Amino acid sequence: MLLPPPNITGTLHLGHAFTATIQDVILKWNRMNGIDTLWIPGMDHAGIATQVIVEKKIWAERRRTRHDIGRDEFEREVWKWKTEKSNVIGAQLRRLGVSINWEREFFTMDTQRATAVIEAFLKLHEDVLIYEADALVNWSCGLQSAISDIEVEHVEISGPTQINIPGREKPAEFGHLTEFAYQLSDDRSREAVVATTRPETMLGDVALAVHPNDQRHTTLIGKHVVHPFRQTLLPIIADEFVDMNFGTGIVKITPGHDHDDFEVGKRHNLQVLSVLDEKGRMINCGEFDHLDRFDAKEKVLSALESLGLLRGRRDHAMSLPICTRSKDVVELLMKPQWFIDCRKMAQIALENVQKGNIHIEPKRFEKTWETWLENIRPWCISRQLWWGHRIPAYRAIEPNGTTHTLIARNHEEALSLTAKVTSEQCQIKQVDDVLDTWFSSALLPLSVFDWPAETSNSRYPLNVMETGHDILFFWVARMAMLCTHLSGRIPFEKVLLHGVVCDAHGKKMSKSLGNVVAPEDIVEGRTLKDLEAATSQAKNQGLLSTEDAQKAIKGQRKMFPDGIHQCGVDALRFTLCSYNFKNHFVNFDVQECKTNKFFGNKLWQATKFTVKWRAVLATQFPKTDRRHRSPVAWEHEQDVRVMDKWILSRLNFMLAEVNEALSGDNFHIATAALKNFLYYEFCDVYLESTKRGLCEGNVMHALILEHCLLLGMRTLAPFMPYLSQHLYAHLAADASRSHAHAAVEYYPLPENRYRDAALERRVGKLMDVVIAIRRLKKIFNVTAKHHPKVIINTEDEFLRENSNTIMDLSACACLEFNSPTGSSSGSYISDKVDSAEILLHVPEELQRALTVDAEKFEVKRAKLAKELNKLRASMSSPSYAEKVSPSSHENNLRKIAQLEQKIMRLNYVQSLAEQRNCFAQ
């Protein structure tokens, strides 16, 4: 496996912990099943993101820009940042208890990865797949660089909205649809009215277009209109791309700043006119030249109005592209950039999934894979940054200005290539652009195995590529394309995708919302004051604006009023695995970690109990040879009792369920099975049932307690490595074990000989009786001080034979069977479990508390019933499972149980009160 390399932009967040935990469980389970494993870690240089953060840091500390300090010093600052952050990230990963092969650690800009990047570029260029061309690209004016689609967030605006733009004192307003008129050149009294959300782009209009089937405008096709500011003629063309229902049905064509318009321009051989420069200022616009694009909008509107061409403005919903790094509005600019033609590689990647060579799980993402690859566009791989792999392209400039572009590994090779294209003395200069970060990341399945120096490695391809579904195209598909082309073999056999981690309410985690939870916050615990201090520090470092910091602190006070409870690594890991990670979104609830910490405490106490009784019985019965007492012999032992056989059966049921779940990567099923067995069946039921026997010297109880915990800790090891190992070492601390490391043992497999479904059903009925007794005691407040007495009227001999177990588990002082006087006595209340009637004695002082007001009684019951029905209806909705976290679901189940108990108690009270005529008059 390959760990998706965390960006060196900061420290690990919960999404990283989620990824690392999922992969660690996969690795440990495979390794414990005897599979040879290799898990390679690394870190990504994250070109744009890291440059932005370091720039903000330098500005906050020194009030200087990267241009002020120069490229060399800026790169030194970034390398210092990398060293600091990589140490922190490495420590965070180690603390999570992951079994990574640290000796194979890489960085996407180390020497080996740099060599791979250059060789891949040269190979792709040689195969005529990499080329340089003028094309429309996403341009961030704030970064002054092209950016990838993944770095563009499309913000939906429903109407007039003020947007803060970096570098501008006042915000810009969006959310209007402006209509204005173009006059026909042959008849100025006629006009063609168009509609646009960005009126300033009309300065780059080169044509108008209508749909060929739009009867309203067929007479306009072939005519010309006059551009009001350039005084040039613009043709009116017919093209089926026009939406007849949008605006007036006539659209303006601006090929230099719109993808669709660019394609229309190519079809109709139109001029491509650029009216924006890299800094977002107007160019080639006459009187509007040098204006900021948003200032130009107001000037254009004013000028159109003064010319009598403005036809109206109304509120309008729109999608606004925002750069996720700089928070600037993204523009489409025509720029010379480097591209990869991905069409043939995409087809091969598509076929590899269709043929089953690469398996994608969950399977629903195969459709996403197909959609992306079938509609793939050339990949813009150049970035106008200072941090990243420099493109291995050189300009050889002759004295007369003639320029040759050469692709070479280094300056010396470029110099030798120059002699082949010209005899002139040339100036050699490497291009300034760097490669898109995803280019080097796309080579990782190869480059981590020392490609191209080593072209064949038995570890390639990877077995599993596990990562988030949100980068299926940006990373996984690109790995599939590039690595297959360069090596002739697929880079991985299986793609396993997990969902995006959100907060408990389903909101995406964001620093500005204050709902971001770091792994160490849960491991160590954080007070509200600590959380606010971290936010303030991020603001002081320039990583958060004052406005976002204030919003974040407000969010933290709302979400974490009492801070975050200290839960430890194991509780965090177990909680992460308790979610179905294949869901599109994973709503993480911090409170669930607290619950799982209590689960760990329960196991600690159970181990302490077992070790204590093992020592006591070893002292009392020193001749007992524990080393040769194995499960194989237990079926022949006379000391093995009903509950011993039951827990062995349930143990093997759990082992079967967990192994099946892990083989299907269904961790949430595995953790649920583990928790049900260890927490409820083992600790709450079996352990409690052994106390009487242990006091009587039953050694078999101690052996089975130990056996269940030993196998339980080995089964738990991939999920809770620290706790399982600590407890396993204590349990295995005797001469019969050569080593004591849970994760080194083979993963436990079920033994069907111990499964007894009939016995499980009988014990299940016994537990129903125990639960019924507990429920009656709780409803009527019967406690130990009342010395609870129970009568069971039944023909079930199994219940009678196990009366001590029923007494122990229900905490009853006295238990009788088939008492003829029980049901007729007025001091007993009853319940039924199948054919068994359970009667609980209610002392006289508790009976007197049954007097009620009839009217208030009915009102209260109706209120409880309404609340119960509302909760059940909410839980039965189709979207419930996706929106509600496991802890919230458990809370809802507890609420339902509590409401049912309250209603049941009221019903009992009503029944008894009616019998005794003790309703208040």
Side-chain angles (χ1 to χ4, degrees):
M1 283 193 310
L2 171 67
L3 178 70
N7 293 342
I8 59 162
T9 47
T11 56
L12 296 188
H13 54 63
L14 208 57
H16 294 117
F18 194 37
T19 302
T21 300
I22 290 169
Q23 295 189 11
D24 192 48
V25 171
I26 293 172
L27 179 122
K28 284 189 168 88
W29 182 65
N30 275 278
R31 189 176 61 200
M32 292 177 74
N33 276 290
I35 305 297
D36 185 20
T37 61
L38 177 65
W39 187 17
I40 303 174
M43 295 183 198
D44 197 292
H45 65 280
I48 289 179
T50 302
Q51 176 163 313
V52 169
I53 284 181
V54 175
E55 280 191 273
K56 287 181 178 179
K57 179 175 179 288
I58 293 171
W59 179 257
E61 293 174 349
R62 299 153 63 179
R63 285 296 185 266
R64 302 188 74 189
T65 68
R66 62 184 165 106
H67 300 285
D68 294 332
I69 65 176
R71 186 164 190 159
D72 290 342
E73 186 178 346
F74 180 76
E75 286 185 352
R76 284 194 292 271
E77 288 290 332
V78 182
W79 277 105
K80 280 169 54 182
W81 173 275
K82 180 267 173 185
T83 301
E84 176 188 334
K85 293 304 175 183
S86 60
N87 290 337
V88 174
I89 291 170
Q92 283 182 296
L93 283 170
R94 286 174 169 85
R95 191 171 188 185
L96 283 172
V98 294
S99 298
I100 289 176
N101 295 82
W102 290 106
E103 72 280 2
R104 301 295 297 265
E105 187 175 5
F106 66 85
F107 178 53
T108 53
M109 281 185 63
D110 61 24
T111 302
Q112 172 54 38
R113 261 44 65 181
T115 300
V117 164
I118 292 172
E119 292 302 321
F121 191 98
L122 267 62
K123 170 65 175 167
L124 291 166
H125 185 266
E126 180 185 323
D127 294 341
V128 199
L129 294 175
I130 281 185
Y131 61 93
E132 188 178 21
D134 286 346
L136 282 182
V137 294
N138 297 317
W139 187 266
S140 169
C141 298
L143 298 174
Q144 293 187 45
S145 172
I147 58 176
S148 68
D149 290 341
I150 198 174
E151 286 146 347
V152 180
E153 177 186 7
H154 293 275
V155 177
E156 299 302 322
I157 293 174
S158 59
T161 305
Q162 299 282 326
I163 302 290
N164 289 317
I165 307 295
R168 275 181 61 86
E169 292 183 3
K170 63 178 183 178
E173 187 172 70
F174 299 87
H176 290 105
L177 187 67
T178 300
E179 291 187 356
F180 66 92
Y182 277 107
Q183 295 176 334
L184 268 65
S185 62
D186 60 354
D187 185 356
R188 296 297 181 100
S189 65
R190 296 181 64 193
E191 61 185 29
V193 178
V194 298
T196 179
T197 57
R198 296 285 301 272
E200 68 275 19
T201 63
M202 64 85 61
L203 297 171
D205 287 356
V206 296
L208 303 186
V210 299
H211 195 283
N213 298 331
D214 192 342
Q215 297 300 316
R216 297 172 297 172
H217 307 306
T218 52
T219 60
L220 294 177
I221 299 172
K223 293 185 177 295
H224 291 76
V225 295
V226 179
H227 195 286
F229 305 120
R230 296 203 308 267
Q231 297 303 315
T232 54
L233 298 183
L234 280 55
I236 301 177
I237 60 176
D239 198 289
E240 292 184 350
F241 102 101
V242 176
D243 180 359
M244 291 186 285
N245 298 316
F246 177 77
T248 63
I250 307 175
V251 298
K252 53 193 284 299
I253 305 299
T254 320
H257 300 284
D258 183 273
H259 280 303
D260 291 332
D261 292 4
F262 181 74
E263 295 301 321
V264 172
K266 285 199 297 185
R267 288 196 291 271
H268 296 272
N269 196 29
L270 298 174
Q271 175 191 9
V272 177
L273 181 61
S274 295
V275 293
L276 277 172
D277 69 7
E278 293 89 343
K279 295 184 178 180
R281 297 172 305 196
M282 308 308 295
I283 55 173
N284 304 319
C285 297
E287 62 184 286
F288 302 101
D289 271 1
H290 310 303
L291 285 175
D292 174 82
R293 54 193 157 149
F294 302 114
D295 293 334
K297 176 194 287 187
E298 301 305 320
K299 297 282 187 183
V300 167
L301 287 172
S302 178
L304 287 171
E305 186 172 21
S306 66
L307 292 172
L309 298 177
L310 193 61
R311 293 292 176 265
R313 224 173 165 216
R314 63 177 185 271
D315 297 351
H316 183 71
M318 63 180 292
S319 179
L320 192 66
I322 300 292
C323 173
T324 58
R325 308 301 181 186
S326 66
K327 303 306 178 186
D328 199 357
V329 174
V330 174
E331 302 291 349
L332 291 173
L333 297 190
M334 182 64 65
K335 301 288 295 180
Q337 301 286 332
W338 292 87
F339 293 87
I340 298 180
D341 182 350
C342 300
R343 288 172 297 177
K344 290 181 181 178
M345 292 188 290
Q347 185 59 36
I348 294 171
L350 189 59
E351 291 173 358
N352 275 322
V353 169
Q354 291 170 342
K355 292 176 181 178
N357 299 328
I358 297 176
H359 297 275
I360 298 178
E361 189 179 340
K363 195 173 177 64
R364 66 179 183 273
F365 285 106
E366 287 184 7
K367 184 63 180 174
T368 308
W369 184 269
E370 290 176 5
T371 301
W372 275 334
L373 294 179
E374 286 174 350
N375 298 282
I376 200 163
R377 293 190 300 195
W379 174 15
C380 177
I381 56 172
S382 50
R383 299 290 181 267
Q384 290 64 52
L385 302 173
W386 287 2
W387 175 241
H389 292 279
R390 289 277 288 274
I391 290 179
Y394 295 79
R395 310 292 189 196
I397 307 171
E398 296 182 19
N400 63 4
T402 303
T403 301
H404 305 277
T405 299
L406 308 167
I407 307 302
R409 292 176 178 81
N410 49 49
H411 189 275
E412 290 71 23
E413 187 173 288
L415 196 60
S416 65
L417 290 174
T418 303
K420 297 178 181 180
V421 297
T422 180
S423 58
E424 298 291 333
Q425 189 73 25
C426 294
Q427 179 185 356
I428 306 294
K429 184 178 186 298
Q430 186 175 1
V431 299
D432 288 329
D433 291 1
V434 301
L435 285 163
D436 179 10
T437 301
W438 295 107
F439 186 89
S440 53
S441 297
L443 304 174
L444 286 175
L446 283 172
S447 65
V448 295
F449 295 120
D450 297 333
W451 181 91
E454 187 175 339
T455 56
S456 178
N457 190 297
S458 60
R459 295 284 193 176
Y460 182 91
L462 304 171
N463 296 99
V464 183
M465 186 64 249
E466 196 283 330
T467 189
H469 69 70
D470 52 330
I471 54 174
L472 175 61
F473 175 71
F474 299 103
W475 189 35
V476 182
R478 286 169 175 169
M479 283 189 285
M481 290 190 292
L482 264 62
C483 291
T484 303
H485 180 82
L486 294 169
S487 70
R489 300 166 65 195
I490 56 174
F492 31 70
E493 298 165 355
K494 176 181 176 180
V495 176
L496 181 59
L497 303 169
H498 66 253
V500 176
V501 181
C502 300
D503 68 16
H505 305 290
K507 291 183 180 178
K508 190 174 180 180
M509 290 192 176
S510 165
K511 288 181 180 179
S512 62
L513 292 178
N515 61 351
V516 170
V517 179
E520 55 268 27
D521 293 342
I522 297 169
V523 173
E524 301 168 1
R526 291 288 185 268
T527 65
L528 178 60
K529 188 176 180 180
D530 292 335
L531 295 173
E532 292 178 356
T535 300
S536 297
Q537 184 180 11
K539 185 198 75 170
N540 294 337
Q541 292 176 339
L543 305 180
L544 273 180
S545 67
T546 301
E547 181 184 0
D548 283 345
Q550 291 172 348
K551 190 193 301 182
I553 289 174
K554 185 178 179 180
Q556 288 167 340
R557 289 172 181 172
K558 182 178 180 181
M559 291 195 67
F560 313 112
D562 301 318
I564 298 174
H565 190 79
Q566 181 185 14
C567 298
V569 170
D570 290 303
L572 170 61
R573 287 175 55 115
F574 195 84
T575 302
L576 290 169
C577 291
S578 68
Y579 296 95
N580 183 354
F581 68 75
K582 298 175 189 176
N583 285 342
H584 204 80
F585 297 104
V586 175
N587 297 344
F588 181 84
D589 191 344
V590 175
Q591 293 304 314
E592 185 71 10
C593 292
K594 189 175 179 181
T595 300
N596 286 320
K597 179 185 178 180
F598 295 151
F599 169 51
N601 290 346
K602 190 95 168 179
L603 296 179
W604 184 285
Q605 295 301 328
T607 303
K608 186 177 179 182
F609 175 89
T610 300
V611 170
K612 169 196 165 186
W613 275 104
R614 184 178 69 184
V616 168
L617 294 178
T619 303
Q620 293 180 358
F621 304 93
K623 294 182 181 180
T624 302
D625 187 357
R626 296 178 53 258
R627 288 176 297 171
H628 304 294
R629 304 294 286 273
S630 69
V632 177
W634 289 347
E635 57 195 280
H636 306 295
E637 291 282 355
Q638 307 225 338
D639 283 347
V640 178
R641 306 199 177 162
V642 165
M643 294 306 288
D644 297 329
K645 293 178 180 178
W646 172 77
I647 198 63
L648 290 175
S649 181
R650 294 306 297 165
L651 169 66
N652 284 278
F653 174 81
M654 179 272 288
L655 293 177
E657 198 170 22
V658 169
N659 276 280
E660 182 180 358
L662 287 174
S663 66
D665 300 308
N666 294 311
F667 296 173
H668 62 298
I669 296 176
T671 52
L674 269 163
K675 198 171 182 180
N676 181 65
F677 174 77
L678 289 170
Y679 200 117
Y680 171 65
E681 294 175 339
F682 178 76
C683 291
D684 284 355
V685 178
Y686 178 69
L687 185 146
E688 293 297 324
S689 75
T690 64
K691 290 181 177 178
R692 186 191 297 257
L694 289 169
C695 291
E696 294 170 355
N698 189 316
V699 178
M700 191 55 62
H701 283 343
L703 291 173
I704 293 177
L705 282 168
E706 179 186 75
H707 176 70
C708 288
L709 280 174
L710 282 169
L711 290 190
M713 291 308 105
R714 281 166 55 189
T715 311
L716 191 64
F719 303 98
M720 288 183 155
Y722 292 115
L723 179 71
S724 62
Q725 172 50 33
H726 183 83
L727 299 184
Y728 187 84
H730 277 280
L731 289 161
D734 62 82
S736 66
R737 313 214 178 264
S738 58
H739 54 75
H741 202 299
V744 173
E745 301 272 14
Y746 276 99
Y747 204 74
L749 295 172
E751 294 188 65
N752 290 330
R753 72 173 72 193
Y754 294 112
R755 287 301 311 280
D756 190 337
L759 175 63
E760 288 184 21
R761 286 193 295 271
R762 289 197 295 272
V763 174
K765 184 176 179 181
L766 181 148
M767 287 308 303
D768 288 341
V769 169
V770 170
I771 291 168
I773 296 170
R774 290 174 177 174
R775 184 169 58 241
L776 290 174
K777 287 170 60 183
K778 186 172 184 179
I779 289 172
F780 291 92
N781 300 319
V782 178
T783 61
K785 70 178 182 180
H786 300 113
H787 304 289
K789 180 180 179 181
V790 173
I791 298 171
I792 302 177
N793 291 324
T794 181
E795 298 301 320
D796 192 330
E797 196 62 28
F798 183 81
L799 295 179
R800 182 187 289 274
E801 290 171 356
N802 291 278
S803 58
N804 284 345
T805 300
I806 296 173
M807 288 181 66
D808 293 342
L809 294 178
S810 61
C812 292
C814 177
L815 175 61
E816 297 178 11
F817 282 87
N818 299 330
S819 171
T821 61
S823 59
S824 61
S825 172
S827 62
Y828 283 83
I829 55 171
S830 66
D831 196 2
K832 291 205 76 168
V833 175
D834 292 334
S835 60
E837 182 187 26
I838 296 108
L839 298 103
L840 173 69
H841 178 259
V842 180
E844 208 173 299
E845 66 270 21
L846 296 180
Q847 291 186 50
R848 286 195 292 270
L850 296 178
T851 302
V852 296
D853 184 306
E855 187 175 339
K856 290 182 178 179
F857 175 87
E858 290 298 335
V859 171
K860 187 173 183 181
R861 184 165 59 178
K863 184 179 179 181
L864 290 172
K866 182 179 180 181
E867 189 177 346
L868 179 61
N869 291 334
K870 183 179 178 181
L871 191 53
R872 282 175 173 164
S874 170
M875 294 177 69
S876 63
S877 68
S879 60
Y880 174 82
E882 293 183 4
K883 292 183 178 179
V884 177
S885 66
S887 64
S888 296
H889 176 63
E890 287 190 11
N891 286 335
N892 288 339
L893 291 177
R894 279 194 292 271
K895 287 178 184 177
I896 285 178
Q898 291 168 357
L899 289 169
E900 288 176 337
Q901 284 186 359
K902 289 178 181 178
I903 292 173
M904 185 183 294
R905 185 176 190 279
L906 289 176
N907 290 338
Y908 271 121
V909 170
Q910 181 188 35
S911 174
L912 294 172
E914 287 175 348
Q915 291 174 21
R916 296 169 175 78
N917 193 27
C918 60
F919 276 112
Q921 301 298 316

